[in-house]
């Protein structure tokens, strides 16, 4: 089933092959079941600032930096950019509301998949638009031994952020591999767009309320329903001979 998608990907990008040796993971909605908390927190924070924003908006804006999301809302409502102070104020509110949701649970089967990849010698990299300072600790707590600081791209590292290809290109660079040797896994339209623009094989993991077509339109090479399906079907992806 995946062979056509892989063949199309290879031909479109003029790659000599497809042989995954690293997986670049988005964090929220992929490694952690955290998107409901983020969506709720965004809606509360925006409402407090009298800014129009729905939970669905949170899913559609997911992946870019928080400041970019806030700026888009200011452009829509006031026809101007948000000031630094406004961006910081809304983002702080949002972060506080998110903290109220408690620690997000790891996505079911995320750890099992990471262990499988590690056992087979594949690198694991995190590519997230999140700017939480304690991110590595949280990853280490939930997925011990699976990630290292030098294999992470966060909001602090990037200039543009998703949907620009920059974060996934930085992630690729950290692997030291060729683009046909890595796979990107992202659940958000803007994240999929970023990975696809970086010319990486992109798995759209549809873990939220958006119709799967949104991820197809964003450029996903294949769409899966969640981490369990990726875990179960990983061998089908790597065993395709191209
Ligand atoms: Mg995500």
């Amino acid at each position: 089933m995946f062979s056509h998608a892989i063949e199309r990907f290879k031909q479109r990008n003029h790659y000599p092959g497809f042989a995954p040796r690293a997986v670049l993971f988005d964090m929220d909605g992929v490694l952690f079941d955290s998107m409901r908390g983020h969506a709720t927190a965004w809606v509360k924070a925006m409402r407090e600032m009298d800014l129009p924003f729905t939970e669905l908006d949170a899913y559609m804006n997911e992946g870019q930096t928080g400041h970019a999301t806030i700026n888009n809302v200011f452009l829509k409502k006031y026809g101007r950019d948000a000031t630094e102070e406004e961006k910081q104020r809304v983002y702080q509110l949002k972060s506080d509301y998110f903290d109220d949701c408690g620690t997000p649970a790891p996505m079911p089967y995320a750890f099992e998949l990471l262990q499988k990849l590690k056992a087979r010698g594949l690198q694991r990299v995190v590519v997230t638009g999140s700017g939480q300072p304690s991110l590595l600790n949280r990853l280490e707590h939930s997925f011990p031994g699976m990630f290292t600081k030098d294999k992470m791209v966060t909001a602090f590292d990037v200039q543009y952020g998703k949907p620009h290809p920059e974060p996934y290109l930085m992630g690729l660079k950290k692997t030291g591999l060729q683009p046909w040797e890595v796979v990107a896994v992202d659940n958000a339209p803007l994240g999929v767009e970023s990975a696809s623009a970086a010319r990486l094989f992109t798995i759209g993991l549809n873990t939220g309320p958006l119709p799967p077509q949104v991820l197809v339109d964003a450029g996903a090479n294949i769409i899966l329903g969640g981490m369990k399906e990726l875990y179960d079907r990983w061998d089908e992806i790597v065993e395709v001979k191209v």
Side-chain angles (χ1 to χ4, degrees):
M1 177 209 160
F2 298 135
S3 54
H4 285 116
I6 290 169
E7 190 57 41
R8 261 200 314 274
F9 163 76
K10 207 188 93 179
Q11 284 180 1
R12 192 185 315 136
N13 291 294
H14 307 289
Y15 288 155
F18 175 71
R21 294 169 61 195
V23 181
L24 311 186
F25 287 100
D26 170 52
M27 190 175 73
D28 291 299
V30 170
L31 294 173
F32 289 99
D33 189 8
S34 46
M35 273 311 294
R36 263 165 302 176
H38 281 294
T40 305
W42 272 121
V43 170
K44 282 186 183 169
M46 295 285 195
R47 189 180 298 149
E48 202 164 316
M49 298 292 287
D50 201 22
L51 294 162
F53 202 79
T54 65
E55 291 206 358
L56 219 53
D57 288 334
Y59 285 94
M60 288 304 290
N61 279 276
E62 189 204 342
Q64 61 186 350
T65 62
H67 282 198
T69 297
I70 295 159
N71 203 51
N72 285 347
V73 179
F74 269 81
L75 279 171
K76 205 165 90 184
K77 179 163 185 191
Y78 300 113
R80 66 164 176 87
D81 289 320
T83 64
E84 272 312 304
E85 195 188 356
E86 285 164 337
K87 283 189 258 192
Q88 279 169 22
R89 187 158 166 219
V90 182
Y91 194 67
Q92 187 60 54
L93 272 174
K94 186 260 166 180
S95 301
D96 292 345
Y97 280 125
F98 182 69
D99 289 343
D100 292 346
C101 298
T103 311
M107 200 60 98
Y109 280 84
F111 193 37
E112 287 83 350
L113 175 64
L114 291 165
Q115 286 173 306
K116 184 189 269 195
L117 298 176
K118 188 176 183 179
R120 296 182 183 185
L122 276 87
Q123 297 181 42
R124 290 96 35 220
V125 181
V126 173
V127 179
T128 177
S130 176
Q132 297 166 65
S134 61
L135 221 143
L136 184 63
N137 290 345
R138 228 180 77 198
L139 284 166
E140 187 55 32
H141 178 76
S142 297
F143 310 112
M146 293 298 140
F147 295 105
T148 51
K149 198 172 164 40
D150 61 320
K151 295 282 163 66
M152 287 177 63
V153 179
T154 74
F156 300 113
D157 304 307
V158 298
Q159 189 181 350
Y160 303 107
K162 302 172 187 178
H164 194 281
E166 176 198 34
Y168 276 107
L169 288 174
M170 287 177 89
L172 170 66
K173 201 170 173 196
K174 284 174 191 281
T175 66
L177 298 170
Q178 298 296 329
W180 55 89
E181 295 176 312
V182 313
V183 166
V185 183
D186 206 302
N187 69 308
L190 298 179
V192 166
E193 203 180 316
S194 168
S196 179
R199 300 172 70 215
L200 304 181
F201 189 82
T202 307
I203 299 174
L205 218 58
N206 197 24
T207 59
L210 301 177
Q213 188 61 37
V214 176
L215 298 180
V216 176
D217 294 343
N221 297 100
I222 57 173
I223 309 282
L224 298 177
M227 277 303 216
K228 176 161 190 330
E229 192 178 1
L230 182 55
Y231 174 82
D232 288 339
R233 304 187 69 182
W234 177 255
D235 291 339
E236 284 179 55
I237 296 169
V238 288
E239 279 167 6
V240 172
K241 294 280 172 283
V242 289

